[in-house]
Amino acid sequence: MTILDLSIKHVTGHAESGSMKIDELKIEKPDSADTKGIKRAEMPQVAAKDYPEFIDYLKANGADFTKLVMPANQLKATQGEFSKDGVERQLAKMQAGTPKKPVIASQDNYIIDGHHRWLVAMNTRDSVEVFKIDIDADELLDLVRKFPKVTYKDIYTEELYDFNKDEPNKSIVAVPGYGTMSIDGLTKNVIDQATELVKQMSQGTQGIRNADYQLNKNKVLPAKVGALVQALDDLQAIRSKGGARSRNIQQENEQQEELPIDTNAIFNYIQRLESGQNIEPQDADLMRRGIQSLTADRQTLNPQAILQLLTMLTG
């Protein structure tokens, strides 16, 4: 075992049972030689909200699982890298009493997802809740990587898949259910896809129905937007810590000029299209209702951005 450079003071309770007071905790991590040595960025992550779908995915692929509680020292690490931030986050969750996501482990007791939860439990001599799957580690790892909603984390940022300190905007982002892209590439992709969506909507009913599918059923665009915003937040978090890694990250302008929204201009543009017989009256009405729905107080995909884009197109 080696010591991870982390001292936590005034931690109260076991990671799982809450029965022990710790004034200072030195985190011991396994030597990489005692693990399978896989890099953190290559280890699949499954979000708690996706567990029901993940279990169905495993069953559909012939796997079965048992939910049980195991002493942490009976499990083995698959990855050979551990994040100080990851450990701190798990300790903070422990102190806050946040519900814990089960660790995913193979038939031969290797951890597939949940290494930092396990590491905290190991160092507090506690147990962990486990989804134990009846497949050996190497085969299970391949199967989990193919789950459509799997994501990846770098040991430094805990969110970015691969951080590029020389060109931060070329850092790689994992988009759940889609794959990985650079921040610059993802930004361009989101803008291109949103612009195409607006063009389709201006062509009539079928375009609006397609937009509804893209935003509310397929949900690839919302997933990309969410991943992009998270990546930008991650860059600012790295910048705030200072040091050599943050040198090339530009500070976001907190006083950015608000882009205009002019729904009257949008309605006038729709009226001109209708008057010029470029669109049918029923399509024009559908477009008006669509704009009205974006201004309503309800959940939708960033209506502010869509209205701003439409305003600029009609200006």
Side-chain angles (χ1 to χ4, degrees), residues 178-195:
Y178 184 80
T180 56
M181 302 177 72
S182 70
I183 292 177
D184 278 344
L186 181 57
T187 300
K188 183 178 184 304
N189 184 275
V190 166
I191 292 172
D192 288 347
Q193 193 169 344
T195 302

Side-chain angles (χ1 to χ4, degrees), residues 85-102:
D85 286 347
V87 172
E88 288 179 330
R89 184 175 291 123
Q90 292 304 320
L91 286 167
K93 288 180 178 179
M94 177 188 77
Q95 289 180 281
T98 304
K100 301 170 187 67
K101 188 173 68 170

Side-chain angles (χ1 to χ4, degrees), residues 126 129 279:
D126 209 352
E129 194 173 272
I279 56 175

Side-chain angles (χ1 to χ4, degrees), residues 7 10 15 36 38 42 50 59 95 109 127-128 169 184 187 200 220 251 255 258 260 304 311:
S7 295
H10 306 300
K36 285 188 173 289
I38 297 176
E42 297 173 358
D50 295 322
K59 290 179 178 178
Q95 289 180 281
N109 291 337
S127 298
V128 289
N169 280 355
D184 278 344
T187 300
Q200 291 179 13
V220 171
Q251 183 175 10
Q255 302 298 324
E258 186 75 13
Q304 182 88 358
T311 299

Side-chain angles (χ1 to χ4, degrees), residues 2-22:
T2 58
I3 302 294
L4 187 62
D5 183 19
L6 176 64
S7 295
I8 302 294
K9 296 183 178 180
H10 306 300
V11 176
T12 303
H14 272 146
E16 301 291 331
S17 65
S19 59
M20 175 180 176
K21 183 175 181 180
I22 305 169

Side-chain angles (χ1 to χ4, degrees), residues 197 214-216 221-223 225-226 294 299-306:
L197 213 56
Q214 294 282 345
L215 300 178
N216 298 317
L221 181 55
V225 172
L294 289 173
Q299 292 293 324
T300 186
L301 171 70
N302 197 352
Q304 182 88 358
I306 295 174

